[in-house]
Amino acid sequence: MTGFLVIVAVVALAIIVVVELVSAVLPMVIVIAMVPPHERDGLARLLAVCDSSRRLRLWPALRLAVQARREELRRVGS
């Protein structure tokens, strides 16, 4: 029984570590894959302003970044 509990604990810890790694890498992968190179610096600065917590809450920050970008494009286009 104790051996089974150790295995369950190790598997649970491994799952937590993998989820944390994926959540840390996902924003970087999105920026590299989806954002043109000339806009990456601006997006990184905007995301930093939108959410300065230790762990970036990706989706709310990206929504704010998209909103800000659309507002900027409207101002430039007018």
Side-chain angles (χ1 to χ4, degrees):
M1 184 69 172
T2 305
F4 177 72
L5 290 176
V6 169
I7 291 172
V8 169
V10 168
V11 169
L13 181 63
I15 290 172
I16 291 170
V17 168
V18 168
V19 168
E20 289 294 322
L21 286 173
V22 168
S23 68
V25 172
L26 185 61
M28 185 174 54
V29 170
I30 289 173
V31 168
I32 290 171
M34 303 288 193
V35 178
H38 63 279
E39 293 183 4
R40 288 182 188 156
D41 184 53
L43 178 62
R45 291 175 194 275
L46 187 59
L47 286 175
V49 169
C50 291
D51 188 0
S52 61
S53 66
R54 185 180 69 83
R55 183 174 177 186
L56 178 66
R57 290 176 295 276
L58 178 66
W59 302 122
L62 280 176
R63 276 195 296 274
L64 286 172
V66 168
Q67 245 179 350
R69 179 70 175 153
R70 287 179 180 161
E71 288 296 321
E72 180 183 325
L73 289 174
R74 275 192 218 129
R75 280 193 307 253
V76 171
S78 297

